[in-house]
Amino acid sequence: MDVVLEFADTYVFDRIYANLLPLHTSSASFDPISTITASFKNETLPIRSTWQWEPASQFMSAEPSEYAYLSQWDRDNVLRQSITLFFVTMVSANLLYFVFATLSYLLVFDHATFKHPKYLKNQMRLEITQAVTSIPAITLLTVPFFVAEVRGHSYMYDTLADVGYESSVLSYFGNWYTYLQFPLFLMFTDFGIYWIHRGLHHPIIYRHLHKPHHKWIMPTPYASIAFHPLDGYAQSVPYHVFPFLMPLNKFAYLALFTFIQIWTVMIHDGEYVADSPIINGAACHTMHHLYFNYNYGQFTTLWDRLGGSYRRPNPELFRKEQKMSPAEWQRQTQEMERMVVEVEGADDRSYAPEEAKKTQ
């Protein structure tokens, strides 16, 4: 995140902090033209911070302007870093959510889902509302991880030499670690999310935290992060813990977080293309939303198979003429209604009326 923070500071936040918390005594705001004029007249110039810029990466950097040296809070101030990372993360999360969910909705999502008997009244609006109201709280809880990263407490690296490549376990992998970090990250997070997700289905926890996400029996792409804030945060923890345990390249980290957002949308888009015993795709995740107690995994079916919670997707989901047929929907509905009584005790959802579904 230090690369992102550097660009955000250079192009947005340096100027904001220089004006809100100026490091000079002449006025409450900084005017570069006045400063230049004052220098020719030998007048008192604004005090300049002693902070020294070091590029966040040797591959990509944004050299700071004069504003970077004119605030009481320089870039190393932990409170400033926390506030900036909060806003950067919140804006980025909303952008990624709306861009990828909307692209999926327009290009991939099967709109026949609107006619499913378990599609809710005003469901997309409810999904979006749940997501955008949860993002600030999830962001607030996540910021401490990002602050620790930018302050050098993780194994995030620019080059392998930054983490003592020659003298560490990485030396056994050679340059292969550049590629190995990707499957290691996916395997670690798949394991962590499986157990966290399964724990969220414990009856005591489920009704308080995870039930809001299971409101969507037939989700749209906008359900991808429509969680209770503590639920969404809990399932993100493995992503943030990994770079504190294992080396991870800074740019790989950003790429993986973008991939995670895309993947989360994909498993909620209802496009059942991954008829695979290994990949936990949209079909597997549909089984989870329909029948609750199966397919807790994020990327693979490995831990569901080992944990006895794997359920193979209905073969009809992979047959275009059958996946949205009334017969398949009736079968799904009957079993779902039995499961919802078992898991929740009663179904308090408000489904769209049949007349409305016919017009969608």
Side-chain angles (χ1 to χ4, degrees), residues 47-310:
I47 301 170
R48 197 175 191 275
S49 170
T50 58
W51 168 79
Q52 297 293 315
W53 174 60
E54 292 183 11
S57 170
Q58 66 179 10
F59 303 108
M60 182 184 295
S61 62
E63 186 172 354
S65 69
E66 189 66 15
Y67 287 107
Y69 304 93
L70 298 172
S71 174
Q72 297 173 33
W73 287 359
D74 60 39
R75 288 190 182 182
D76 288 336
N77 182 286
V78 66
L79 185 55
R80 168 177 167 163
Q81 289 174 334
S82 301
I83 293 171
T84 304
L85 285 167
F86 173 81
F87 284 106
V88 168
T89 303
M90 191 168 64
V91 170
S92 299
N94 276 282
L95 281 174
L96 289 171
Y97 170 64
F98 280 107
V99 167
F100 292 119
T102 301
L103 286 173
S104 177
Y105 173 76
L106 294 174
L107 303 176
V108 179
F109 176 65
D110 192 336
H111 292 201
T113 303
F114 296 146
K115 297 182 174 65
H116 194 284
K118 294 303 176 182
Y119 185 80
L120 303 187
K121 182 181 181 181
N122 301 319
Q123 180 171 311
M124 275 205 304
R125 180 174 60 81
L126 293 172
E127 290 170 339
I128 292 170
T129 300
Q130 178 72 62
V132 298
T133 54
S134 295
I135 285 174
I138 296 171
T139 300
L140 188 65
L141 293 168
T142 303
V143 162
F145 284 108
F146 292 154
V147 172
E149 289 165 12
V150 302
R151 296 183 74 82
H153 300 299
S154 73
Y155 291 107
M156 206 83 71
Y157 70 87
D158 197 37
T159 67
L160 287 172
D162 298 337
V163 287
Y165 166 76
E166 295 82 357
S167 59
S168 72
V169 69
L170 299 183
S171 61
Y172 292 103
F173 297 108
N175 290 326
W176 281 104
Y177 191 79
T178 301
Y179 308 100
L180 187 61
Q181 63 186 317
F182 292 97
L184 283 175
F185 178 89
L186 296 177
M187 290 166 60
F188 176 85
T189 54
D190 200 36
F191 170 79
I193 291 170
Y194 172 80
W195 288 108
I196 291 169
H197 191 179
R198 186 161 185 169
L200 286 163
H201 275 260
H202 187 282
I204 295 175
I205 299 173
Y206 175 85
R207 66 173 177 265
H208 296 296
L209 296 185
H210 198 49
K211 185 179 177 181
H213 187 62
H214 271 275
K215 186 174 185 175
W216 333 116
I217 300 300
M218 291 301 294
T220 79
Y222 293 104
S224 55
I225 57 172
F227 290 96
H228 183 287
L230 291 179
D231 180 1
Y233 170 72
Q235 294 196 60
S236 74
V237 165
Y239 304 134
H240 306 303
V241 167
F242 182 85
F244 290 91
L245 301 177
M246 291 289 291
L248 185 64
N249 178 267
K250 296 175 180 181
F251 296 100
Y253 182 69
L254 296 175
L256 284 164
F257 266 84
T258 303
F259 165 74
I260 289 163
Q261 182 62 65
I262 297 171
W263 181 263
T264 307
V265 169
M266 287 173 60
I267 63 175
H268 290 90
D269 67 11
E271 186 63 21
Y272 311 126
V273 294
D275 188 6
S276 166
I278 299 172
I279 299 173
N280 185 59
C284 281
H285 201 65
T286 292
M287 294 294 100
H288 180 72
H289 275 267
L290 277 169
Y291 310 129
F292 298 88
N293 295 332
Y294 305 95
N295 301 348
Y296 300 108
Q298 179 75 348
F299 303 115
T300 75
T301 62
L302 172 62
W303 297 105
D304 281 298
R305 290 178 179 277
L306 293 176
S309 55
Y310 174 68

